[in-house]
Amino acid sequence: MEEIRILHTSDVHLGAPFLFLETKGGEQRIALREALERLVKTAREERFHLLVVAGDLFDAAVEVSDADVSFAIRCLSGAGPLCRVVILPGGHDCYAAGSVYERERGRFEESGNVHILAPGRRVIEFPDLSLAVHGAALTSNVPRESGFAGLVPLEGCRWNVCLAHGSMEGFSSGLESGEEPLRAGDLDPGFDYAALGHWHSHLVVRASRPVIVYSGAPEVVA
C-alpha cells in the first residue's frame, strides 16, 4: 500500500454537560453529535483507509449514558468495512475498572471495523493495508508516563501510526501534578505519523517525519 489516507480527530467529549452555556448546553451536545456524524460520513464517502480518535471520545470514563454509547457505536461503525476506526482512551474516558471501554468493548468491536487500544493491546495491525496503529491507552485521567514511551514500529509494515493523548513537552505549561508530558524524543523515528489529542485547537507540532499533529476538537473554541 503506497498511500494511506488518515482522518484524525480527538476530544469529541460526547455527553459533556456544557453547564457554562446554560440553556444552550443541549444545543452544543447535539452539534457535537452532528460533527461526528459528518466526520464519519466524510471517511466513508471519500474512502479514507483509517479514522483515528486520539482520546476523549466521551467526556467521562464511567458515567456514560447508554444513549451516548449506542450513538457512538452506531456512528463509528457507519464508516463502513473499508475504513478502519481506532479509538485511544484518553484522560476523560480512560480505560479504568468499570469504564465504558471495559464494559462495552465487545459492542464497539462487534461491527469488525472499530477497534479499541487497551491495556495489553498497544498495537493493532491491518495486514491488507501494511499498516500498524500503536498507542498506550490511559488508565487514569493524568498520564503517568510519556504516551510515546515503549511504542515500537512493526518492521513488516509499510505504515506505522502512533496515537497519544496528553500535553506536548515544550508546547504547554501548567501540567497537572504527576503528569508526564509527551516528549518528541521518546517517539521512535520509524513512525510515519503521530495523531495527538488533548489540546482543543489544531496544531502541527512537527511537519517532518514523523509528523506530529494535534487535530483539535469539534467544539467551539477561541
Side-chain angles (χ1 to χ4, degrees), residues 47 56 59 112 122 165 187 219:
R47 299 181 179 275
D56 289 357
D59 192 58
R122 293 161 64 100
H165 190 88
L187 181 62
E219 176 187 344

Side-chain angles (χ1 to χ4, degrees), residues 196-220:
L196 306 188
H198 184 50
W199 284 18
H200 287 201
S201 296
H202 176 71
L203 175 67
V204 178
V205 176
R206 185 164 68 195
S208 58
R209 184 176 180 270
V211 176
I212 305 175
V213 176
Y214 280 101
S215 64
E219 176 187 344
V220 178

Side-chain angles (χ1 to χ4, degrees), residues 7 9 12 14 30-45 51 53 57-58 66-81 83-85 87 107-108 111 113-114 218:
L7 198 54
T9 192
V12 183
L14 291 174
I30 293 171
L32 283 177
R33 284 190 172 208
E34 291 175 344
L36 186 61
E37 287 175 327
R38 288 194 300 273
L39 189 82
V40 172
K41 181 181 179 183
T42 297
R44 181 179 64 251
E45 294 184 351
L51 167 60
V53 183
L57 173 62
F58 298 104
D66 186 68
D68 284 332
V69 173
S70 296
F71 166 77
I73 293 170
R74 182 175 65 255
C75 183
L76 294 174
S77 63
C83 180
R84 280 59 166 199
V85 180
I87 303 169
R107 287 177 63 195
F108 271 97
S111 66
N113 72 314
V114 179

